[in-house]
Amino acid sequence: MTLPSNPETPEQGSDNNFSPATPENLSIATTTDAAIAPRNLEGEYLDELPDEVEMSLFDHLEELRQRIFYSVLAVAGGMIGCFLTIKPIVQLLEIPANGVKFLQLAPGEFFFVSLKVAGYSGLLLASPFILYQIAMFVLPGLTRRERRLMGPVFLGSSVLFIGGLVFSYLLLIPAALNFFVNYGEGVVEQLWSIDKYFEFVLLLMFSTGLAFEIPIVQVILGILGIVSSRQMLSGWRYVILGAAVLGAVLTPSTDPLTQTLLGGAVLCLYFGGVGLVKLLGR
């Protein structure tokens, strides 16, 4: 009598790929799981909201009101402090004019110019405190991963804005003023309205400072995955056209030298931002 063979028992010499659980296989599986687990835990940890607190819409609006109130107080304090020391600030901003005489064409014109200069200067002095208030308002809604980016973004934006002011003060304003002086040399005497001069200088400085924030915008878009570095680079033709338009719009003067300098700076900043996004692996 022949006993039937068990189909579930593999025969010797068959081509079955079954591999028994050996200590070596168990060791490899355990090591792989141990390596993956910390990564998953770290990702979950970085995606957590550490200060998540449920707040009503009224509470958010109340906090926003307080932040705005503190920022306005800081700007007012900066304006008052700058107004009390307005003459050294005005003399500093008159240096690029290179000895041109200024006229007060109406009673109280210099007083209102002083208020305008104090306003811009106070806003500049209060900007770190304003950035701090913005950071404290948005901080509870950010994950740990997003909070790591806040410091570099705020620091980079501050450095770039100040760099734009310095670039405008040392290069753009002297270039524009020299163009106007040389153009009218021998024909008109250089006597300028102090109000028009400071309107020109302040607008050019602050518009240049804002234009220098382009790399920060690019980095934020790249980190959020909205635009990649390859997409930014692929539109270089439109970027050149946009830089020319931006140089013409942001400069209050119409001389080609100032517009070219600002447009060239915008191009350098844009392609520098593309390089930063590329370094971040985006």
Side-chain angles (χ1 to χ4, degrees), residues 48-53 55 60 63 67 134-143 146-147 150:
E48 289 180 352
L49 295 172
D51 298 331
E52 186 177 10
V53 179
M55 296 177 63
H60 282 293
E63 183 183 2
R67 301 291 182 188
I134 295 173
M136 290 297 101
F137 180 73
V138 302
L139 192 65
L142 300 180
T143 63
E146 294 168 339
R147 291 185 181 194
M150 286 190 62

Coordinates of all heavy atoms in Angstrom, one line a residue, residues 48-53 55 60 63 67 134-143 146-147 150:
E48 N 4.9 68.2 13.8 CA 4.0 68.5 14.9 C 3.9 70.0 15.1 O 4.8 70.7 14.7 CB 4.5 67.8 16.2 CG 4.3 66.3 16.2 CD 4.9 65.7 17.5 OE1 5.4 66.5 18.3 OE2 4.7 64.5 17.7
L49 N 2.7 70.4 15.7 CA 2.5 71.7 16.1 C 2.7 71.8 17.6 O 1.8 71.5 18.4 CB 1.1 72.2 15.7 CG 0.8 72.3 14.2 CD1 -0.7 72.6 14.0 CD2 1.6 73.4 13.6
P50 N 3.9 72.2 18.0 CA 4.2 72.2 19.5 C 3.3 73.1 20.3 O 3.1 72.8 21.5 CB 5.7 72.6 19.6 CG 5.9 73.3 18.3 CD 5.0 72.7 17.3
D51 N 2.9 74.2 19.8 CA 2.2 75.2 20.6 C 0.7 75.3 20.1 O 0.1 76.4 20.1 CB 2.8 76.6 20.5 CG 4.2 76.5 21.1 OD1 4.4 75.7 22.0 OD2 5.1 77.3 20.7
E52 N 0.2 74.2 19.6 CA -1.2 74.2 19.0 C -2.2 74.5 20.1 O -2.3 73.7 21.1 CB -1.5 72.9 18.3 CG -2.8 72.9 17.6 CD -3.1 71.6 16.9 OE1 -2.3 70.6 17.1 OE2 -4.1 71.5 16.1
V53 N -2.9 75.6 20.0 CA -3.9 76.0 21.0 C -5.2 76.4 20.2 O -5.1 77.2 19.2 CB -3.4 77.2 21.9 CG1 -4.5 77.6 22.8 CG2 -2.2 76.8 22.6
M55 N -8.1 78.5 19.3 CA -8.5 79.9 19.6 C -9.6 80.2 18.6 O -9.7 79.8 17.5 CB -7.3 80.9 19.3 CG -6.2 80.7 20.3 SD -4.8 81.8 19.9 CE -5.5 83.4 20.1
H60 N -8.1 85.5 17.7 CA -7.1 85.8 16.7 C -7.1 87.2 16.3 O -6.0 87.9 16.2 CB -7.3 84.9 15.4 CG -6.9 83.5 15.6 ND1 -5.5 83.1 15.7 CD2 -7.6 82.3 15.6 CE1 -5.4 81.8 15.8 NE2 -6.6 81.3 15.8
E63 N -5.6 89.3 19.2 CA -4.1 89.2 19.2 C -3.5 90.0 18.0 O -2.5 90.7 18.2 CB -3.7 87.7 19.1 CG -2.1 87.6 19.1 CD -1.7 86.2 18.9 OE1 -2.6 85.3 18.7 OE2 -0.5 85.9 19.0
R67 N -0.8 93.1 18.3 CA 0.5 93.1 17.6 C 0.6 94.4 16.7 O 1.7 95.0 16.7 CB 0.6 91.9 16.7 CG 0.5 90.5 17.4 CD 1.7 90.3 18.3 NE 1.6 89.0 18.9 CZ 2.5 88.6 19.9 NH1 3.5 89.3 20.2 NH2 2.3 87.4 20.4
I134 N 5.4 90.0 13.9 CA 4.8 89.1 12.8 C 5.2 87.6 13.1 O 4.4 86.7 13.0 CB 5.4 89.5 11.5 CG1 4.9 90.9 11.1 CG2 5.0 88.5 10.4 CD1 5.5 91.4 9.8
A135 N 6.4 87.4 13.6 CA 6.9 86.0 13.9 C 6.1 85.5 15.1 O 5.7 84.3 15.0 CB 8.4 86.0 14.2
M136 N 5.8 86.3 16.1 CA 5.1 85.8 17.2 C 3.6 85.5 16.9 O 3.0 84.6 17.5 CB 5.2 86.8 18.4 CG 6.5 87.0 19.0 SD 7.1 85.4 19.8 CE 8.2 84.8 18.6
F137 N 3.1 86.2 15.9 CA 1.7 86.0 15.5 C 1.5 84.7 14.7 O 0.6 83.9 14.9 CB 1.2 87.2 14.7 CG -0.2 87.0 14.3 CD1 -1.3 87.2 15.2 CD2 -0.6 86.7 13.0 CE1 -2.6 87.0 14.8 CE2 -1.9 86.6 12.6 CZ -2.9 86.8 13.5
V138 N 2.5 84.4 13.9 CA 2.3 83.2 13.0 C 3.0 82.0 13.6 O 2.7 80.8 13.2 CB 2.9 83.4 11.6 CG1 2.3 84.6 10.9 CG2 4.4 83.7 11.7
L139 N 3.8 82.1 14.7 CA 4.5 81.0 15.3 C 3.6 79.9 15.7 O 3.9 78.7 15.5 CB 5.4 81.5 16.4 CG 6.4 80.5 16.9 CD1 7.5 80.3 15.8 CD2 7.1 81.1 18.2
P140 N 2.5 80.1 16.4 CA 1.7 79.0 16.9 C 1.2 78.1 15.8 O 0.8 76.9 16.0 CB 0.6 79.6 17.7 CG 1.1 80.9 18.1 CD 2.0 81.4 17.0
G141 N 1.0 78.6 14.6 CA 0.5 77.8 13.5 C 1.5 77.1 12.7 O 1.2 76.5 11.6
L142 N 2.8 77.1 13.1 CA 3.9 76.5 12.3 C 4.3 75.2 13.0 O 4.4 75.1 14.2 CB 5.0 77.5 12.2 CG 4.7 78.8 11.5 CD1 6.0 79.7 11.4 CD2 4.2 78.6 10.1
T143 N 4.7 74.3 12.1 CA 5.3 73.1 12.6 C 6.8 73.3 13.0 O 7.4 74.4 12.7 CB 5.2 72.0 11.6 OG1 6.0 72.3 10.4 CG2 3.8 71.7 11.1
E146 N 8.8 74.0 9.9 CA 8.6 75.4 9.4 C 9.3 76.4 10.2 O 9.8 77.4 9.8 CB 7.2 75.7 9.2 CG 6.5 74.8 8.1 CD 4.9 74.9 8.2 OE1 4.4 75.3 9.3 OE2 4.3 74.6 7.2
R147 N 9.4 76.1 11.5 CA 10.0 77.1 12.5 C 11.5 77.2 12.2 O 12.1 78.2 12.5 CB 9.7 76.7 13.9 CG 8.3 76.8 14.3 CD 8.1 76.5 15.8 NE 6.7 76.6 16.1 CZ 6.2 76.7 17.4 NH1 7.1 76.6 18.4 NH2 4.9 76.8 17.6
M150 N 12.2 80.0 9.9 CA 11.9 81.4 10.2 C 13.1 82.2 10.4 O 13.2 83.4 9.9 CB 11.0 81.4 11.4 CG 9.5 81.0 11.2 SD 8.5 81.3 12.6 CE 8.6 83.1 12.7

